[in-house]
Amino acid sequence: AHIGRTELKPVFTTHVRRSRKLYHPEAGTTVEIALDDGEVRSDKESTSLTEIELELKQGEPETLFNVARELSGIIPVRLQVQSKPDIGYTLCEGNLDNWTTAGKLKLSQDMTTEVALDAIIEYCVSHILRNDKCAAERAHIEGVHQVRVGLRRLRSGLRLFKAVLPRDQYDWITGEAKVFANALGPAWDLDVFQTSILPPVVREFGDIVDFAGLDRTAACLQDQAYELVREAISSERFTIFMIELMRWRKMGSWRNQAVTAEAARLFSPIGELSTPLLTKRHKVVVKKGKGFADLSLEARHEVRLLVKKLRYATDFFEGLYPAKPGKKHIRRLRRLQDELGHLNDIVTLNSILDRILEHSGGAKAQRAAGFLIGWYEREVASGDARLIEDWKRFEKSKPFWY
């Protein structure tokens, strides 16, 4: 259909002043450093924009990462994966500082292991960087959660490829990811407490039990935990971690290793790696969960961790296999992980309450904590039959990669 000129209207506009400078870090190397300062405007709101773009004019591609690291040591910077149009459309949706899920990862059977590894790293890093601002600015509680998921997925994804990666590279990346995931952990624990754990019990017993002390102390600890989140994500260390991850991926630095039979698998079809890995992880879960109904909470926690690793592996690799046969198995796996995840929230309640009671003593706080523990012990018991049934369904379902 024909669209008249008057019917086309901009949904956002970008107003930027650009300054350029050529930088010669060494002989034969030229990098253009462009500073954009301005704003993106929609009909309803606007957002400031201050960006540094690096463009290699002459020299080796790795130079860009060296310059990015130099800049991170001079001024506070964070990596941006959204383009100006991305920012504009997000602004129009009213979602500029909000969170986003990772979406689907699409791998194909014609990929080599190396190409699949590259895609998984990009998928995880993009997920982290599309949520780090939301987490640091505390725009939504899902910001912290999504960054933690991205970091866990990164570690889990690299673990799948551990046999074909240089050990020092693997150890550094997974170690840094763990450091930042741990830094975000207390904030997420308190988010869960404040939004999911405490409210149902307050609704049930708020007229006879005073939960205000617990609530106030948890909110105070939550503020402190988010300050740690802001410090971690705004740190030069985090920026360098992201820069080096991108360098590692773009330069294919995993090739810097001795030629061995294991290393040569980087150039084999990804299906030759994915099927044995999925099979191994599935067998480990089933073995660990044997006699699930009689397992202790601690043993079920171990099963939960293994289920989560299997879930991440299936998320990465499910696109390599026919979609229809896998739907039931994936649905059951995800339901089981959700049930075990909720159980874990309840199991960790004691440690959260210990932290709160350190700062909020007294009989009222102790009584409120006792009601919380009692309520959720009852919930664990009442939900046990459902959890056992979910385990049985998962245990009997045929994995989609067979």
Side-chain angles (χ1 to χ4, degrees), residues 357-378:
L357 291 174
E358 285 178 10
H359 301 83
S360 179
K364 286 184 179 180
Q366 293 286 349
R367 183 166 183 257
F371 265 85
L372 277 173
I373 293 170
W375 172 272
Y376 282 107
E377 284 181 350
R378 181 198 62 83

Side-chain angles (χ1 to χ4, degrees), residues 318-348:
E318 66 174 295
L320 300 174
Y321 304 91
K324 191 173 181 179
K327 286 184 178 179
K328 180 182 289 187
H329 181 77
I330 292 171
R331 185 170 62 250
R332 290 178 174 177
L333 175 62
R334 289 174 180 171
R335 180 178 172 85
L336 179 63
Q337 187 194 358
D338 289 343
E339 291 281 352
L340 288 169
H342 181 57
L343 176 64
N344 182 65
D345 292 339
I346 296 171
V347 170
T348 58

